[in-house]
Amino acid sequence: TKSPFYDLGAPVQSLHAHRDKEAHDQRRRVWSLGFSDKSLRAYEKRIQVYRQKLIDLLKSASDDEAINISNYLTWYSYDVMGDLAFGRTFGMLDASANHWAIQILNDMLKPLEYSVPIWALRLLGSLPGMNEDALRYEEFSHRRLKTRMEV
């Protein structure tokens, strides 16, 4: 059984965050088709574009310039995820920077580095004005998902 940490986003829960095995299994069956061998092979052409952008970006860095590879891999990962999940990239490789929505997500995860109790995070998030960014991120994600589903 997963720890109460996974209840942080409740009542909204991702597949990963389900603590109830039966609910997880039910949701996983819905997702399984998207992760079949055939589906994963079909994603390759879409991913090639981002792989090439990453390689080009890394090649463009001068030999004496230090780079933070973590940033580059994060930009690549979110651009791929954006394309696969929403049918649209976040444009992070092109901008060489985080998309504002991803920056909000990173900022929301920051307190977890300090082992802040989940109850405290939920309490802070319920205070007026403390969750404006979270609501902005949620609205953005819902809008992108709705647009994706209409295609």
Side-chain angles (χ1 to χ4, degrees):
T1 304
K2 293 180 180 177
S3 75
F5 164 82
Y6 290 91
D7 289 336
L8 180 60
V12 177
Q13 287 189 310
S14 67
L15 172 63
H16 173 72
H18 272 289
R19 294 178 65 206
D20 178 85
K21 183 168 175 26
E22 188 176 315
H24 175 271
D25 291 348
Q26 183 180 5
R27 172 100 42 104
R28 185 171 180 190
R29 276 192 288 281
V30 173
W31 279 92
S32 64
L33 184 61
F35 291 99
S36 69
D37 287 342
K38 182 180 178 183
S39 293
L40 291 174
R41 281 191 299 279
Y43 301 147
E44 178 63 22
K45 286 187 182 184
R46 291 171 69 178
I47 293 173
Q48 284 176 352
V49 173
Y50 305 105
R51 185 176 55 227
Q52 191 58 54
K53 285 182 180 189
L54 174 63
I55 291 168
D56 293 344
L57 199 55
L58 291 170
K59 283 181 179 179
S60 71
S62 68
D63 292 336
D64 59 341
E65 175 187 0
I67 62 167
N68 183 341
I69 193 67
S70 180
N71 287 341
Y72 287 74
L73 296 175
T74 296
W75 300 334
Y76 167 80
S77 299
Y78 276 106
D79 278 352
V80 168
M81 287 187 284
D83 186 314
L84 297 179
F86 298 122
R88 197 163 122 199
T89 178
F90 287 101
M92 292 167 63
L93 284 168
D94 292 331
S96 295
N98 284 346
H99 184 276
W100 66 265
I102 302 307
Q103 190 57 53
I104 287 175
L105 181 61
N106 290 341
D107 292 346
M108 288 189 308
L109 295 172
K110 195 78 170 154
L112 299 177
E113 293 176 13
Y114 305 104
S115 300
V116 176
I118 298 306
W119 64 264
L121 294 175
R122 292 185 61 89
L123 177 65
L124 286 173
S126 69
L127 297 174
M130 291 298 288
N131 64 352
E132 287 177 16
D133 282 344
L135 293 174
R136 184 175 172 217
Y137 172 81
E138 185 178 317
E139 201 272 316
F140 166 79
S141 296
H142 285 259
R143 204 172 47 244
R144 281 260 174 123
L145 181 60
K146 186 176 178 181
T147 301
R148 173 70 168 158
M149 291 173 66
E150 290 171 353
V151 174

